[in-house]
Amino acid sequence: MGENFSVQQSLSGKAWRLRDIDDEVISDIRRKAGVDEIVARMLAARGITPDEAEAVLSPTLRHFFPDPSGFQDMDKAASAIWDAVEAGKVLAVFADYDVDGATSASQLIRYFRQMGQAMLLYVPDRIEEGYGPSAEAFATLKAQGAQLVITVDCGAAAHEPLKAAAEMGLDVVVVDHHLMGADLPPALAIVNPNRPDDTSGCGHMAAAGVTFVLLAALNREGRRRGKFGDQAEPDILKLADLAALGTLCDVVALKDINRALVSQGLKVMGQWQHAGLKALAEVSGLTGDPSAYHLGFLLGPRINAGGRVGRADLGARLLSSDDPAECMEIAVELDALNAERKQIEADVLEAAQAQIIAAGETDAPLLIARGEGWHAGVIGIVAGRLKERFGRPAIVIGTDNGIGKGSGRSVYGVDLGSAIASAKSIGLLIAGGGHPMAAGLSVAEERIDELQTYLSERLQPEWDATHAERALMLDAVLTPAGATLDLAARIMAAAPFGQGFAEPRFVLPAVRIAYAERVGADHVRFSLADDDGQRINGIVFRQADQPIGDALLGNSGGLWHAAGRLKLDEWRGNRRVQFHLEDLAAAS
């Protein structure tokens, strides 16, 4: 069964394919990196060459850190900021309301605090103000005394607001990573690896990572100016945990500098020196060393909850504070807001799924669901859930007073951000932008159907071209007996995993469902057994009322192929292997 294993259609409607990997490359990786065959196979499948393997397995900032001067306007930004510091000007940071924005802002605030300088903070309200800076927000900051504003995770396409800032005499430095055109808005500097004339090769970075590079540029400029004679140079490595959190939660490709930032940032975070992160871990139930999973599924959603259904600045304030009592108060509030967010999300998701199924559009290259009054704070999450459920790009739009505000999530190979930018360029949208995997938009309600037609036609060729790549790719065939603690530990040693460096996926062929039970709201716990009686325990999330859950809970005694990932499950000091199921297919 091994090398030729495949499935034509699973219960989730997907084809499965075992990755075709050159045995010689696997051997070379084993020899050069000193790893076993499964880890070598995993690396080769992700495009890692034998010469790169060791650095990928042990990523360091020293090896992957880019030259700050390679970013267009980075040196100009560092110089402008230092000029403002030397002139005694009041600095402010304007941040987006998500995790990437909050971690970018808190890095800057903490950096300047190390030099004894405070910064003003402004985070726009998602509902009232929407994404990015506005003339009104700049006017508010100027009235508070701000003389230089640094925008983070936003601003690169804010032509009119930046023009207004210039007219009111407010200096602005932009630090962003979103797609933008060649027509640059007015600013002292625009640092964005995705601006058309940037040659850094770092377009895959999140704003938190770009901000971290800016801090290195600021230290270098400070040394050039002789500023660290009487005071210590800020230790930016202490801020790597914040950069890691923003990088992971913005779901950017986990390669090169991103991989190094996350790897090193997790080590820094494990020291729990930042009161805000420590408080957030406590209310999240996180104990021990943090992992990429903890950042993406425990800490990140709670920080995001402030911007989604609460006060937009809560996340940035939490991550910037050194007061344990204040941090715990904010963390508790964010935890409660996250619970509220989950309920709102569940209601919108149920309505959106029903709408798409009723419309019979599940085979379209793009799914769009819309609803009056759908909360703008959850539409992005719901779009992601729809993408997972139906395996194709999805946009969810909440309408209010004739205006629709939407958020979309895409799949590999389908550039949603460019499609949204194109729709805006021809006048279909009031506003819109993003990157290949995620985008946001504003549209007149009466033009939503027209928008759906345009985007579907534009994305159809990309969807068709990547059809084969959307098969569920398997790294290796395993038996329950072969899914050992040792193997799981060796796999986890290759972490961090994330976008662009996926955790390996295995298939357990021809197994029986030994038992299954529903747990929580919609999860299923189960045990699988092969013909030799060897068993492995596992769980599948959010599938209890879907075909996979129905198959597990209604076990008919047939044979199944099971695809999923091996996890180390630790409970009360005991370690065991757990299989996180992703898909099932009948074994014919």
Side-chain angles (χ1 to χ4, degrees):
M1 187 176 291
E3 293 182 359
N4 297 318
F5 182 89
S6 67
V7 163
Q8 298 309 309
Q9 187 167 4
S10 68
L11 290 186
S12 65
K14 296 176 182 176
W16 297 2
R17 299 287 182 269
L18 193 63
R19 297 184 189 273
D20 184 16
I21 308 165
D22 189 324
D23 288 337
E24 187 174 340
V25 174
I26 294 173
S27 296
D28 286 348
I29 291 177
R30 291 188 66 179
R31 178 171 50 82
K32 291 191 175 184
V35 295
D36 63 22
E37 182 173 354
I38 283 190
V39 174
R41 176 177 290 273
M42 177 193 72
L43 293 174
R46 283 143 189 78
I48 306 303
T49 68
D51 290 336
E52 296 170 330
E54 190 172 357
V56 168
L57 290 172
S58 302
T60 64
L61 289 173
R62 179 181 297 275
H63 180 84
F64 286 110
F65 205 84
D67 179 2
S69 298
F71 291 73
Q72 192 71 26
D73 276 9
M74 183 69 84
D75 290 338
K76 187 187 294 186
S79 181
I81 293 169
W82 267 110
D83 286 346
V85 170
E86 289 181 339
K89 292 184 177 181
V90 176
L91 306 183
V93 57
F94 183 105
D96 189 20
Y97 35 64
D98 67 0
V99 179
D100 198 19
T103 53
S104 298
S106 57
Q107 285 181 74
L108 284 168
I109 291 170
R110 287 183 170 280
Y111 177 89
F112 284 106
R113 184 181 297 151
Q114 288 185 57
M115 294 199 299
Q117 180 153 346
M119 290 188 83
L120 299 174
L121 170 67
Y122 192 105
V123 182
D125 182 271
R126 182 190 293 263
I127 307 300
E128 300 298 327
E129 299 177 80
Y131 170 79
S134 63
E136 294 77 12
F138 282 140
T140 297
L141 281 170
K142 185 169 177 62
Q144 292 175 354
Q147 295 165 288
L148 172 68
V149 178
I150 305 171
T151 72
V152 289
D153 197 27
C154 59
H159 289 266
E160 293 305 316
L162 286 173
K163 182 179 178 182
E167 290 173 350
M168 68 180 71
L170 185 62
D171 291 333
V172 179
V173 167
V174 173
V175 180
D176 203 350
H177 73 125
H178 292 96
L179 297 176
M180 61 181 295
D183 182 20
L184 304 181
L188 292 182
I190 299 176
V191 180
N192 183 346
N194 282 308
R195 60 182 276 181
D197 59 344
D198 188 272
T199 58
S200 67
C202 292
H204 58 292
M205 294 186 76
V210 179
T211 301
F212 192 79
V213 177
L214 172 62
L215 301 186
L218 287 169
N219 270 358
R220 187 168 66 180
E221 179 65 14
R223 288 194 297 271
R224 191 185 70 79
R225 298 187 184 206
K227 293 298 179 182
F228 302 129
D230 297 330
Q231 62 178 355
E233 179 176 319
D235 183 358
I236 67 171
L237 187 59
K238 290 181 177 179
L239 304 174
D241 50 2
L242 299 172
L245 180 58
T247 296
L248 263 175
C249 292
D250 221 50
V251 201
V252 292
L254 206 58
K255 63 179 184 178
D256 303 332
I257 177 59
N258 289 349
R259 185 166 179 77
L261 269 176
V262 171
S263 180
Q264 298 304 309
L266 284 169
K267 295 175 184 176
V268 173
M269 188 180 294
Q271 300 171 15
W272 300 114
Q273 294 298 303
H274 289 164
L277 289 172
K278 186 176 182 180
L280 201 62
E282 186 172 334
V283 301
S284 304
L286 168 56
T287 58
D289 293 332
S291 68
Y293 168 82
H294 296 130
L295 272 61
F297 292 94
L298 292 183
L299 305 186
R302 285 167 171 79
I303 295 170
N304 265 333
R308 294 189 186 283
V309 296
R311 297 205 314 277
D313 66 347
L314 284 176
R317 284 176 48 211
L318 172 77
L319 299 178
S320 303
S321 176
D322 290 321
D323 182 343
E326 179 188 32
C327 287
M328 182 53 67
E329 181 180 346
I330 296 175
V332 168
E333 183 175 359
L334 286 173
D335 190 53
L337 289 170
N338 190 51
E340 179 183 344
R341 185 271 304 169
K342 286 182 179 179
Q343 185 56 57
I344 296 171
E345 174 197 326
D347 294 341
V348 174
L349 176 59
E350 182 179 3
Q353 286 185 156
Q355 184 183 123
I356 288 171
I357 293 172
E361 297 175 343
T362 56
D363 291 333
L366 173 70
L367 307 176
I368 291 186
R370 71 194 81 173
E372 180 70 23
W374 283 358
H375 199 294
V378 303
I379 55 176
I381 304 175
V382 173
R385 298 279 189 236
L386 294 177
K387 180 197 76 171
E388 294 170 4
R389 165 78 192 278
F390 298 106
R392 57 200 64 226
I395 296 175
V396 177
I397 301 173
T399 58
D400 184 32
N401 293 322
I403 300 296
K405 292 187 176 181
S407 186
R409 298 293 182 269
S410 194
V411 298
Y412 177 79
V414 181
D415 189 343
L416 184 60
S418 291
I420 294 295
S422 176
K424 182 175 183 295
S425 71
I426 64 170
L428 264 177
L429 298 177
I430 300 168
H435 49 80
M437 300 298 287
L441 60 89
S442 294
V443 60
E445 186 173 1
E446 67 269 14
R447 303 199 74 179
I448 293 177
D449 289 338
E450 185 182 358
L451 174 67
Q452 183 164 12
T453 299
Y454 173 82
L455 291 176
S456 294
E457 290 177 353
R458 179 183 170 90
L459 293 175
Q460 185 77 58
E462 294 182 26
W463 173 258
D464 292 339
T466 59
H467 176 73
E469 297 177 33
R470 285 194 303 276
L472 195 72
M473 301 306 295
L474 309 169
D475 287 276
V477 177
L478 278 183
T479 64
T484 63
L485 273 173
D486 181 62
L487 175 59
R490 293 200 308 272
I491 291 168
M492 293 314 298
F497 298 107
Q499 183 72 26
F501 194 81
E503 199 169 344
R505 181 185 291 118
F506 301 98
V507 60
L508 301 170
V511 292
R512 298 182 185 277
I513 301 166
Y515 94 91
E517 63 172 338
R518 188 175 186 134
V519 293
D522 51 2
H523 313 316
V524 179
R525 183 185 295 127
F526 58 83
S527 180
L528 303 176
D530 63 12
D531 285 342
D532 294 330
Q534 296 294 323
R535 290 195 179 199
I536 185 170
N537 296 324
I539 191 167
V540 63
F541 298 103
R542 295 189 297 274
Q543 289 291 320
D545 298 313
Q546 304 299 329
I548 292 173
D550 290 342
L552 290 168
L553 294 169
N555 178 23
S556 61
L559 292 177
W560 297 90
H561 301 317
R565 307 179 191 277
L566 289 186
K567 299 286 187 177
L568 281 176
D569 182 37
E570 300 191 34
W571 176 249
R572 294 181 177 176
N574 295 318
R575 304 177 84 202
R576 60 177 183 170
V577 174
Q578 189 177 58
F579 192 69
H580 282 201
L581 183 70
E582 294 181 71
D583 206 353
L584 275 178
S588 56

